[in-house]
Amino acid sequence: MHIFEEIKKSTITAVWFVFLTFPIMVIRVNTIHKTIEWRWDNMIMVAVGSFALSFVWRYFMEHRQAPKPEAMGRGVPWIQNARQAIKHPVFFYSAIALLTVFAVIFPFIFSRYQVNIMTTALIYVMLGLGLNIVVGLAGLLDLGYVAFYAVGAYSYALLHLHYGLNFWICLPLGAGLAALFGIILGFPVLRLRGDYLAIVTLGFGEIIRLVLENWNEFSKGPSGIAEIPRPPIPGVELSLSESSVFLYFLVIILTLFTVFVVNRLRNSRIGRAWIALREDEIACQAMGVNKTATKLTAFALGATWAGMAGVIFAAKTTFINPASFTFLESAIILSIVVLGGMGSIVGVIASALILILLPEYLRAFSEYRMLLFGAVLVIMMVFRPQGLVSTVRQTYQFKGLKKDKEVG
Amino acid sequence: MLKVNNIQTYYGNIQALKGITLDIGEGEIITLIGANGAGKTTTLMSICGVVPPKQGEIFFRGTPIHNMTTEKIVALGICQVPEGRHIFPGLTVKENLEMGAYLRTDHHGIKTDLEYVLDLFPILAQRRHQQGGTLSGGEQQMLAISRALMAKPRLLLLDEPSLGLAPLIIQQIFEIIRKINSEQKTTIFLVEQNANLALKVAHRGYVMENGTITLADSAANLLDNEDVKKAYLGL
C-alpha cells in the first residue's frame, strides 16, 4: 500500500517532468531542412530518469524524517568506530602529514592547469573564512563582500600602476585598505539587522563595482588594468610556470595563516562577543559588550581577508576589471559559508574546495555542469541544512569545579 | 547607592518618563510597580544607558552615569536582567554564564561565582551542556538571573522576572532574589507587575503611573495602602 502510494507520486512527478521538458528535449526544429524532429526516445529517458530520481528522493526523505537511532548515528557501530578513529591522535597526525605531503608535491605531479585552479580554490578558502567571521560568527548577513575583494585587487593594481609599489608592500596595504572600507561600511549599518542589513551591504557591493566601472580616470573603467606583475622573489627570475607554482605555495601559506588567525579569533574574547551578538543583541548590551566596537571589528577583520585575497587575485590573473567583482561572486562566497556550516572552519575549507573545484572537474559534462552544480547545492541543503560540518564550539572546562564530578 | 534625579526620557517625540526621582540605598531591595506602559522598563533602560535620559541626572555611588555608554555602566557594577529573559539560545548554559562574566578578568573569582550560581540553581548544573534555547521558561529565567550574577553586580536590575511563569516557579525565583540580597549583599531593583509578591520581598517600593512616581513608601505601608490595594492588588 505504502509502496503503491510512492509509485503513484513518482509517476505524477515523471509525467510532470516530461511535460516540462517536452519543448526542449523532444521537439527540435531543423532550420536548414525546415523540418521538425520529434525525439521520442528523449522523452522516454526523461520519464524513466525522473521517475527513478523521484523514487530515490522519496526514499531518502523518508529516512531523514524517521527518528534516527541514537541521534547522529552514534548507535551505528562502524560510524562510532570511525568517529573514534578520527579523534585518535595517530590517525589525526598521519592525516595531517599525508595532506601536507600531498599539498607540497601537488604542483610537481599535476599540470599547470590543475595548479591554477587549486590556487583559485584556495583564494576562495580565504574569502570564505573571512566572510565566515562576518556571517558565521557575528551573524551579520553581508551580501556585498565582494566589494572588499575588489578593494584589495584594485589597491594592488592602482598602487603598482601609479607608484610602482611591488606585491609584498601591497599585500598588507590592500588588506588594510579593505579593513578601512569594512569600517566605512560598518558605521552606517550599525543599527541594522537581518534583511535590512543584507540590502544595504548588497548596495555597497554594487556601489564599489559601479564606481570602478564608471570612473574612468581613476580605475580605467570596464577596460580594466592589465600587466599587473606576479609576485616577485627579489633577485630571482621566474618563468611563467615557476611563478604559478610559487603563487600556489604562497596561497597555501596565507591560507594556513588565515586558518590560524580565524581559529584564534573564534576562541578569543572578541570571538565570544561575536557569537553572543549573533544570538541576542539586548542580552549582549546587558552583559557589557560594546556593540559598536564588536560589529565594526567583525566587518573590519572580515574585510581584511577579502583584501588580501584580492591582492593575490590581481597578481594571479595579472589583469582585473570590474566584471570580476559582480554580485555573483558575493553569492558564491556566501554559499561557501552556508554550505560549509556557519562558523565552522573545516566546513568552510571543504565547501570552498568543492564549490570551486566541482564546476572545473564537471567540465566533462559541458553544458550540464551548472545544472549538476545546482542539483548538488539543493541536495546538500535538503539533507544537511546545518552545513557540511556543523559548528562544534570550543567549550571551556573549569578544572576542579565540584559539580563536574557530581553530575557528570 | 543609586540616585535618580528628575530624569526625562523620550522615544522620539513621545515622552515616556516625566521626571522620575528614585533613591536606592546599599543592600536594599527596591521595587517599582505600576500598570502596563507606566514607564517601568523605560526607567530601567535609562539607568542602564540603553535609552539615555534627555534631562536629569543619575548618580551611581557618586559617579554621574547619565551620559555613559551601556558597557561602561555595566563595568561600574550595574547589571540588568532584561525583560523577557533574553538568554543566548544557541549557546550552552555554561557559555551563557561565561558571557555574564564577559567584562571580568579574575579567573579565580569567576570560578567561585560559577559554583555559587550553580548551587543557587542546581537545575542549571544538570543542564549546563544543554543549549539555552532548549530550557523551559522558568529555567531560562533562572539562567538569565544567574548570568547577571556572574557579572558580580553591585546593583542588580530585574525586569519582570515573573513574566509568563507558573506561580510555583515565581515563588521559587522570589525566594532566590531574597537569598541573593541577604547572602551576596547585592542591592536589587525589581520592576514588577505582580505587585503583591514584589512588595512582600522588597524593603521599599515606588508606584508609577504615566511616567511619574505617584507613591513612595516602605513596602509594608504600600501593601496596606487603600489605593494600591485597589489598583494593583485587586483587593
Side-chain angles (χ1 to χ4, degrees):
Chain A
M1 187 64 206
H2 191 67
I3 291 279
F4 180 71
E5 188 75 2
E6 293 295 297
I7 290 174
K8 198 176 112 190
K9 280 184 180 160
S10 298
T11 313
I12 293 170
T13 314
V15 171
W16 178 239
F17 263 84
V18 166
F19 177 70
L20 272 185
T21 54
F22 191 80
I24 53 167
M25 295 305 284
V26 180
I27 305 171
R28 177 151 72 184
V29 180
N30 192 326
T31 45
I32 298 167
H33 300 286
K34 298 209 169 126
T35 53
I36 295 175
E37 289 174 42
W38 299 90
R39 297 173 294 171
W40 298 111
D41 50 335
N42 272 357
M43 189 176 98
I44 294 164
M45 265 165 62
V46 168
V48 173
S50 55
F51 179 83
L53 272 179
S54 155
F55 204 76
V56 171
W57 178 267
R58 274 169 206 289
Y59 175 80
F60 277 111
M61 288 301 274
E62 192 119 317
H63 272 249
R64 196 177 74 105
Q65 275 158 10
K68 285 173 191 165
E70 286 281 315
M72 300 300 290
R74 245 172 239 156
V76 187
W78 73 266
I79 293 183
Q80 202 174 16
N81 288 342
R83 271 166 197 269
Q84 265 164 9
I86 289 169
K87 278 189 189 137
H88 197 272
V90 173
F91 182 85
F92 183 74
Y93 287 117
S94 51
I96 293 276
L98 266 177
L99 262 178
T100 316
V101 170
F102 179 72
V104 169
I105 61 169
F106 183 84
F108 305 110
I109 51 174
F110 289 103
S111 68
R112 223 181 83 205
Y113 165 70
Q114 302 284 356
V115 174
N116 272 334
I117 59 172
M118 189 51 96
T119 310
T120 310
L122 288 170
I123 290 176
Y124 277 91
V125 169
M126 285 175 68
L127 287 168
L129 287 171
L131 187 62
N132 194 24
I133 293 176
V134 187
V135 178
L137 294 181
L140 306 160
L141 183 54
D142 186 350
L143 293 182
Y145 191 63
V146 78
F148 308 122
Y149 189 37
V151 167
Y154 267 91
S155 52
Y156 174 39
L158 290 171
L159 285 171
H160 174 77
L161 189 69
H162 295 303
Y163 303 105
L165 296 183
N166 80 6
F167 176 84
W168 302 109
I169 300 166
C170 286
L171 191 62
L173 273 182
L177 274 170
L180 187 71
F181 271 78
I183 293 171
I184 291 173
L185 168 67
F187 264 112
V189 301
L190 277 175
R191 296 151 67 95
L192 303 179
R193 266 192 90 81
D195 319 2
Y196 307 102
L197 177 68
I199 290 168
V200 175
T201 51
L202 177 66
F204 181 79
E206 287 300 288
I207 288 170
I208 297 278
R209 186 180 64 83
L210 288 171
V211 165
L212 292 174
E213 203 147 283
N214 292 300
W215 194 0
N216 286 331
E217 302 79 45
F218 174 70
S219 65
K220 295 196 167 187
S223 51
I225 299 168
E227 291 180 351
I228 304 164
R230 294 189 170 79
I233 308 177
V236 183
E237 200 68 30
L238 289 174
S239 73
L240 195 58
S241 70
E242 279 168 347
S243 180
S244 62
V245 170
F246 174 61
L247 196 68
Y248 165 82
F249 282 116
L250 179 70
V251 173
I252 288 234
I253 289 165
L254 282 174
T255 309
L256 288 178
F257 176 61
T258 314
V259 171
F260 173 75
V261 173
V262 172
N263 190 37
R264 298 288 296 183
L265 275 175
R266 190 177 61 174
N267 297 330
S268 73
R269 194 180 171 72
I270 184 88
R272 284 196 299 155
W274 285 335
I275 293 169
L277 200 68
R278 179 184 73 190
E279 296 283 326
D280 196 319
E281 276 195 23
I282 295 175
C284 256
Q285 275 189 301
M287 297 301 102
V289 174
N290 186 337
K291 220 170 80 177
T292 314
T294 310
K295 277 193 182 179
L296 286 182
T297 43
F299 274 118
L301 284 172
T304 308
W305 302 112
M308 221 186 263
V311 174
I312 296 166
F313 172 75
K316 176 178 175 290
T317 53
T318 71
F319 166 76
I320 53 168
N321 74 348
S324 311
F325 308 105
T326 55
F327 172 66
L328 185 68
E329 289 297 305
S330 288
I332 288 176
I333 303 165
L334 189 65
S335 10
I336 287 173
V337 176
V338 175
L339 192 70
M342 298 270 224
S344 152
I345 291 175
V346 182
V348 167
I349 296 172
S351 75
L353 292 179
I354 291 170
L355 277 189
I356 303 306
L357 296 182
L358 198 63
E360 293 292 339
Y361 292 126
L362 284 179
R363 273 184 202 282
F365 298 90
S366 58
E367 66 250 53
Y368 296 108
R369 76 186 176 116
M370 276 309 172
L371 185 72
L372 282 174
F373 181 66
V376 169
L377 278 186
V378 171
I379 290 168
M380 263 300 300
M381 282 297 109
V382 170
F383 290 104
R384 278 196 75 83
Q386 72 274 43
L388 284 175
V389 183
S390 52
T391 333
V392 185
R393 275 191 319 278
Q394 182 95 25
T395 46
Y396 300 94
Q397 213 71 42
F398 281 104
K399 283 191 184 113
L401 188 67
K402 64 173 191 251
K403 283 284 179 296
D404 272 314
K405 290 167 211 150
E406 276 173 28
V407 189
Chain B
M1 175 179 226
L2 184 83
K3 272 193 182 11
V4 176
N5 198 0
N6 198 24
I7 55 165
Q8 304 195 15
T9 305
Y10 292 77
Y11 289 111
N13 285 325
I14 299 157
Q15 185 170 18
L17 299 184
K18 299 163 182 164
I20 298 288
T21 303
L22 291 168
D23 190 14
I24 299 172
E26 190 98 45
E28 277 188 306
I29 302 182
I30 303 293
T31 182
L32 181 65
I33 57 176
N36 276 335
K40 304 184 301 282
T41 299
T42 311
T43 310
L44 274 196
M45 292 299 185
S46 293
I47 295 173
C48 289
V50 177
V51 188
K54 240 184 192 169
Q55 274 168 43
E57 299 155 316
I58 305 170
F59 292 96
F60 180 65
R61 299 160 66 92
T63 323
I65 59 169
H66 42 272
N67 287 328
M68 278 191 185
T69 54
T70 311
E71 60 274 6
K72 280 192 184 129
I73 294 173
V74 175
L76 283 177
I78 299 183
C79 195
Q80 193 203 162
V81 180
E83 185 179 8
R85 308 189 272 268
H86 283 285
I87 53 150
F88 301 114
L91 303 189
T92 64
V93 167
K94 202 143 154 266
E95 287 168 326
N96 263 283
L97 293 174
E98 283 158 10
M99 271 314 292
Y102 181 74
L103 290 176
R104 294 172 64 183
T105 45
D106 55 326
H107 293 287
H108 195 76
I110 293 173
K111 206 170 84 184
T112 328
D113 283 354
L114 189 64
E115 281 185 36
Y116 176 76
V117 297
L118 291 182
D119 264 339
L120 215 53
F121 298 105
I123 187 80
L124 294 183
Q126 277 179 37
R127 302 227 185 278
R128 67 188 188 287
H129 296 306
Q130 218 168 302
Q131 289 198 343
T134 63
L135 300 183
S136 74
E139 288 162 0
Q140 289 191 9
Q141 185 64 58
M142 293 174 190
L143 178 57
I145 295 175
S146 318
R147 189 183 58 188
L149 286 178
M150 288 298 292
K152 212 168 179 57
R154 293 198 168 106
L155 173 62
L156 181 64
L157 309 174
L158 290 167
D159 197 353
E160 301 249 5
S162 72
L163 189 78
L165 299 183
L168 262 178
I169 307 283
I170 298 178
Q171 286 284 357
Q172 208 182 332
I173 284 185
F174 276 76
E175 292 285 301
I176 296 284
I177 291 172
R178 207 185 307 212
K179 199 170 162 193
I180 295 163
N181 176 254
S182 60
E183 280 179 5
Q184 296 280 79
K185 306 290 169 229
T186 310
T187 313
I188 290 171
F189 185 50
L190 175 66
V191 165
E192 253 303 342
Q193 289 225 38
N194 192 335
N196 192 18
L197 255 175
L199 287 173
K200 276 183 185 149
V201 175
H203 302 124
R204 287 191 301 122
Y206 290 89
V207 180
M208 220 179 156
E209 253 169 59
N210 279 327
T212 52
I213 300 272
T214 50
L215 270 177
D217 209 335
S218 75
N221 283 349
L222 284 177
L223 269 175
D224 284 337
N225 186 307
E226 285 304 318
D227 291 340
V228 174
K229 268 188 190 170
K230 224 185 268 165
Y232 303 109
L233 304 178
L235 295 172

